Structure formats: structure tokens, C-alpha cells
Amino acid sequence: EAGVAQSPRYKIIEKRQSVAFWCNPISGHATLYWYQQILGQGPKLLIQFQNNGVVDDSQLPKDRFSAERLKGVDSTLKIQPAKLEDSAVYLCASSPGQGGYNEQFFGPGTRLTVL
Amino acid sequence: AQSVTQLGSHVSVSEGALVLLRCNYSSSVPPYLFWYVQYPNQGLQLLLKYTSAATLVKGINGFEAEFKKSETSFHLTKPSAHMSDAAEYFCAVSDPAAGNKLTFGGGTRVLVKP
């Protein structure tokens, strides 16, 4: 079974530029998550999708971050414009359902450096 | 709001020695609890989870954790450390009263000395 795929793996941009990350979850997983992991910290949930609907985006900085999940499969996360403090690893995860007992399966992440 | 505290951001153990990683959570209702491991430049991988069955949970790679409601703790142990256990470990809690959102602790980096 293929795991969660993410691209690119690394991205370096200058502040005020825009960037987009892509995620392909495990086939059949209805729930998709985007996390931000700043160096030395645990992952922080940015947004959760159930199929193609948003379940929780309370911690997404909506003035600069946006995310979509078209057709309930792949998802993209965009930052526009980027700030220095956005330097982090962006992790995508998927799970079979929303239940709290469900394991989340994580992709390898995209490491973003904002100069 | 839910919070997870991992005591010690770095732990150094000798190969063959006991590994003990501490995790305490705040929750007004019994949560679901998880331990994940992260190897360099990789995503997180589930080690084990507690979902209100047995309080002693066994996971992969010889790890286990015990849920203690009275102490609001879910400490992770492994009797004998191996060099391959060098990684970062994250405790996480999913609170049914908070929409099942997963909240992570700050992580503990384990160094294994030969």
C-alpha cells in the first residue's frame, strides 16, 4: 500500500513570495490533515478536511494561508505572501475517518525555508 | 484547551539501557493517546495508541506505554535501547470533547550511546 505522498520535499523562497505544497493521501482515506512543524516543536494542526469539506481550520492564518481538497483526494496548501516565521516543515497526514481513535498516516513533509 | 507535556526535550541513554519518555496530558474526559516516532527527514510513524481498552499498551519495536488516569500520564518505555531507537518521539492526545483534534507534545529527542 502506497503511503502519503508530498511534493516538493524542499523549498527555499524569499519573503513575500508565494509557495504551494501538494499532498496525495492514502487511497480511500476520507480525512486529510495539514500540520506545521517548526524546528524543535511538535506538529500543529493547520487544517482538517473530511472528503472535500473543511472540518477544522481554526489555526490556519487565513490572511496568508489557503488550502483546498478538490474531489476529496489530493490537496494543496498555499502561502501567499510568505513570512520568515513560516519556515517550517509542512506535514500532510491522512486517516480512514474522523474518529479520534484513528491512526493518522504521515507523509515525509516539505521543508520550507523563507529567506 | 487540550495540552500535552513531554518532560525533557533530550534524553541520552546507553545501548541496552532502559528508555523512559514521560508524557502528561490535560483532559477532562478520557482521551485517546498516541506515541509517534520521527526519524530524520521523515514523517511521523505510529508506535502505539491507547483507545480505552487495556491500560498497558504494546507497540512496535519493543515499546510499550501505560495509561494512568489518576496521574494523567502515558509514559513510554523500552527495556533495552538499540542504536536504531535514536529519533524524536512525540506524545499526542485526541480529545473527543474537542472534535478529536490531535494535539502533540513538544517532542523528546533520544540519543543512544554505544
Side-chain angles (χ1 to χ4, degrees):
Chain A
E1 176 182 84
V4 176
Q6 291 188 247
S7 68
R9 291 295 312 276
Y10 304 91
K11 190 73 176 179
I12 300 173
I13 62 172
E14 296 193 351
K15 60 183 179 183
R16 292 187 289 274
Q17 287 186 323
S18 60
V19 65
F21 312 127
W22 173 81
C23 172
N24 179 242
I26 291 174
S27 177
H29 280 192
T31 311
L32 185 147
Y33 312 81
W34 283 101
Y35 289 88
Q36 180 191 59
Q37 185 178 20
I38 293 173
L39 186 65
Q41 299 180 19
K44 182 186 81 172
L45 179 68
L46 291 176
I47 189 167
Q48 176 184 343
F49 292 95
Q50 179 68 16
N51 295 310
N52 60 348
V54 175
V55 174
D56 184 347
D57 64 356
S58 58
Q59 298 190 90
L60 186 73
K62 298 180 186 66
D63 58 332
R64 298 183 301 105
F65 286 64
S66 64
E68 60 181 7
R69 189 182 184 196
L70 298 177
K71 300 181 181 179
V73 182
D74 293 5
S75 178
T76 57
L77 176 69
K78 297 179 182 178
I79 307 175
Q80 181 180 9
K83 293 185 175 181
L84 296 177
E85 59 261 36
D86 298 332
S87 293
V89 175
Y90 291 84
L91 294 165
C92 179
S94 70
S95 68
Q98 290 188 79
Y101 48 83
N102 281 307
E103 174 185 355
Q104 294 185 23
F105 294 82
F106 286 80
T110 296
R111 183 177 299 275
L112 174 67
T113 302
V114 183
L115 304 175
Chain B
Q2 186 64 260
S3 68
V4 180
T5 302
Q6 291 184 239
L7 188 63
S9 59
H10 291 79
V11 168
S12 180
V13 299
S14 297
E15 192 173 18
L18 171 72
V19 179
L20 170 61
L21 305 182
R22 299 178 187 275
C23 173
N24 288 88
Y25 65 92
S26 67
S27 176
S28 58
V29 298
Y32 301 114
L33 295 156
F34 304 80
W35 275 100
Y36 282 86
V37 61
Q38 187 176 34
Y39 298 102
N41 298 315
Q42 296 185 27
L44 281 71
Q45 177 185 1
L46 182 70
L47 276 178
L48 49 81
K49 64 179 180 180
Y50 168 76
T51 58
S52 75
T55 56
L56 183 62
V57 182
K58 294 188 183 298
I60 61 172
N61 301 339
F63 285 92
E64 64 182 34
E66 185 172 9
F67 171 66
K68 292 187 176 180
K69 183 179 177 181
S70 60
E71 300 177 6
T72 59
S73 69
F74 191 55
H75 302 330
L76 181 71
T77 60
K78 181 174 180 178
S80 178
H82 191 272
M83 296 299 292
S84 60
D85 295 327
E88 188 151 23
Y89 294 79
F90 293 94
C91 180
V93 58
S94 173
D95 188 347
N100 290 319
K101 186 169 74 175
L102 201 59
T103 301
F104 286 86
T108 298
R109 185 170 298 278
V110 173
L111 171 66
V112 182
K113 299 178 293 184

